[in-house]
Amino acid sequence: MHKTWDGKELRRDVDGSDDIPGRFHVVLRVHRKYDTALVERFCNGDASVPQPVVQGFLFTLDTILRYALRPWLQCVGGRYLSQHAAITTDAGFDIWWEYRLAMHPTHSRLLLNVSARAVPVTSGGIKTLGDLSDLFFDRNSNSIASGPAKTDGEWAKFESCVHGLSVLIPGASQAGGVRVAGLATKHTRELQIDGLPVAEHYRRVHGIDVPATSERCAVTDKDVLVPLELCVLEGRQVLPQLSKRQRGRLMPLSALPPPQRLELLRHGAQLVMQACRESQVLGPFKIQVGDELATAPAHVLPAPQMQLRRAAAAVSAASGAWELDGQQVLEGVQVRSWTVLVLASAQAVGESQARAFAVQLVKAGGEMGIEFAQRVPPIVYGSVQSVEQAVESACAAAQRVAVGNERAQLVVCVLPSAAAALYGEIKRVALTRVGVHTQCVLAANARGHRPRLVRGILLKINTKLGGSTASTRQTAADTVSPLDEEPTMVISADVTHTTEARGMSVAAVVWS
C-alpha cells in the first residue's frame, strides 16, 4: 500500500505473514528526500550531482518495483517466481524462473534491467523429505534396504538441501509448518525421544508407524526429532541445494537457446510494465516505463578459420567450435626427454597401465605432428608426501635414458585426486625448484582409453614446450569489416568452470 505523510515518522501495527507469524509494531522514518531532477541531470552528464545520492535513489526504486510485482508473480521462499515456460523434470524438482530487476543510469534516461534465473522448485509428486532423499541419492524403494548405507558426508550434503524448508509434522501445535534446522547425526534407530526409541514414540504418541527403512531424522527449529518420512513438505518450495546428478539435469535445461531466453525476458518485461501501469508506484517519482525493450546496434563477427599444419586446408567453425580431430598442429615440438611420474598407488594405477597411457600419448602425438623421440619413457612411482623428491627422481630417470643424457623436458604426473593443494605443490616444485614442465592427469583418466582426452592433453604439452596449435587465417571477406565503417567496441566473453569453491563457474567479459 502506498501512503504519503507530512511528518517525519509513521507508526503502524501490522500482522505478520505465513512465513513470519505474529503482530509487529512498525516505525517508518523519513531518511532522505530524492529529487528526480538530480537523477535527470546525472544521466545528462552533470558531474556535479553526488553519485551516492543517485545510487540511493536507484536502490529505493529497485525495492519499490520488486514489491510492486507481487500481484503478478508467485512468492516462494522470499523469491518472486514465474511458472511461465516452466520445465518439468523427473529429478524431484521443476524449473521455474526468478525475475530480478535493477535500475541503471545511462545517457539521457534510466534503464530497467530485467534478468531471469532458473530456480529448482520441489515438484508436485514429492510429498515428504523421505521422497526428496530418495531422489537426492538416486535410489528407489528396493535399493534403500539392499543398497549400502550413506556416509555422514553424503548426509551432510543432503542436509544443505533441506535446511530451511517448511514441513508439516505430526503433533505440531501451531498452524502451518515448521522449519528444518538440520539432520540428526545418528541413525533413526539409535535416537530416543522422552526415553523411547523414535519409532516407538511415534507409534505410541501419534499412532504412526515409522518405516523400517528410515535412516535419518530431521531436527526442526523447535528442536523436535522427526523421521524424514513423516516430514510433509508444505507446498512448493525452492530447493537451496541439489545433488551432483540433479545439478546435471538443471544445467542443460536452464541453458535456453537465445530465442527462448529472449521470449522469457520479454515476458518479464511485460510483467514489469503491467505492474508499473496498474500500481502507479513510479507516479510520485515522475518516471514512466516504456513499452519497448532497449536495443543496441551490434555486429556478430563471423568466426575466423583456423590454420593448422601449413599444408592442410583451413578449418572452419561449426556450432561455435573448431573440430580438430584428424588434424595436425601448426608447429609441433619434439619431446626428446620425458617421464611418467605416478603419485597414485600401484593398486590405483599399475605400471602396465601407466605404460599403456604413455603409448597412447606417443601414438596420438605422431598423428598430430608432435614427435616423441623417446618412445618408451621410464615409469617412476613417488609419494604425495615428498613431491619435490619424487619430481627430482623422475627427472633423473628421464635424463639417464635420453639420447645425449639430455635434461628432462616434461614430467607427466598421474595424480590420485584433483586436490588443489597437491596440484599447486607440483607446479611450485617443478617451476621454481627443479625447472621442468609438468602435465597433470588424474589416475582415473590414465587407466582408460580416451582418445579425445589424450589429444587435449597433447595440445597442452605442445603449447608448454614451445609449439603452436593453430593460427587464424584471413579470408577475402575479412578485408571489409564492420569495424572499419564506424567506431566499434569489441566485446568478448568466456566462462571457466573451476574445481574449487564448490565447482563455481566464473564468467569474464573484456572489451576494447
Side-chain angles (χ1 to χ4, degrees), residues 125-364:
I126 304 302
K127 303 300 183 184
T128 68
L129 294 186
D131 299 336
L132 200 59
S133 70
D134 293 342
L135 286 163
F136 187 88
F137 294 123
D138 193 20
R139 60 186 182 182
N140 53 42
S141 58
N142 297 325
S143 65
I144 296 176
S146 59
K150 298 301 175 184
T151 64
D152 291 341
E154 290 173 315
W155 281 112
K157 292 179 181 178
F158 179 68
E159 183 178 40
S160 64
C161 172
V162 300
H163 183 271
L165 294 183
S166 178
V167 294
L168 303 173
I169 62 174
S173 57
Q174 67 184 72
V178 297
R179 297 290 179 182
V180 177
L183 295 183
T185 56
K186 296 182 180 180
H187 197 283
T188 301
R189 61 173 174 267
E190 301 176 20
L191 299 173
Q192 292 187 348
I193 301 177
D194 297 333
L196 294 175
V198 169
E200 183 67 19
H201 169 83
Y202 278 93
R203 184 164 50 252
R204 289 189 182 185
V205 177
H206 303 289
I208 301 174
D209 290 329
V210 177
T213 55
S214 179
E215 297 181 65
R216 281 292 192 275
C217 287
V219 182
T220 72
D221 54 0
K222 305 298 182 182
D223 204 25
V224 177
L225 290 174
V226 188
L228 296 179
E229 293 75 10
L230 304 185
C231 296
V232 179
L233 286 166
E234 188 181 25
R236 309 291 286 270
Q237 300 184 57
V238 176
L239 292 175
Q241 187 64 273
L242 299 175
S243 68
K244 184 177 181 180
R245 183 186 72 90
Q246 289 174 320
R247 288 196 301 271
R249 295 296 309 278
L250 175 66
M251 293 301 293
L253 292 175
S254 60
L256 298 178
Q260 294 184 29
R261 177 161 290 277
L262 178 59
E263 192 277 331
L264 190 67
L265 293 175
R266 286 187 182 279
H267 175 74
Q270 290 172 358
L271 290 178
V272 173
M273 290 184 287
Q274 183 179 3
C276 291
R277 284 195 300 266
E278 298 188 12
S279 64
Q280 298 182 352
V281 292
L282 296 181
F285 298 96
K286 301 177 181 179
I287 294 177
Q288 296 180 345
V289 179
D291 294 332
E292 298 295 331
L293 295 181
T295 59
H299 302 283
V300 178
L301 301 180
Q305 292 183 321
M306 303 299 292
Q307 180 71 53
L308 285 94
R309 184 68 75 177
R310 287 187 172 86
V315 180
S316 299
S319 302
W322 293 270
E323 183 56 61
L324 303 183
D325 291 353
Q327 301 287 343
Q328 289 193 338
V329 296
L330 184 63
E331 296 179 3
V333 298
Q334 184 183 54
V335 185
R336 298 177 299 276
S337 177
W338 67 297
T339 183
V340 177
L341 172 60
V342 182
L343 293 173
S345 65
Q347 290 77 20
V349 180
E351 183 173 352
S352 60
Q353 292 174 313
R355 199 168 300 282
F357 180 70
V359 170
Q360 292 184 59
L361 289 175
V362 172
K363 181 180 178 182

Side-chain angles (χ1 to χ4, degrees), residues 61-99:
L61 289 181
D62 287 345
T63 304
I64 292 174
L65 282 175
R66 185 164 62 249
Y67 284 94
L69 284 176
R70 276 190 170 186
W72 293 271
L73 295 178
Q74 187 168 352
C75 185
V76 179
R79 302 180 180 184
Y80 297 109
L81 308 181
S82 172
Q83 295 188 56
H84 176 76
I87 302 173
T88 302
T89 77
D90 58 358
F93 65 88
D94 297 335
I95 296 176
W96 291 9
W97 301 97
E98 177 184 9
Y99 285 109

Side-chain angles (χ1 to χ4, degrees), residues 109-122:
R109 58 180 176 172
L110 293 173
L111 284 183
L112 177 59
N113 183 59
V114 181
S115 61
R117 187 171 74 95
V119 175
V121 177
T122 53

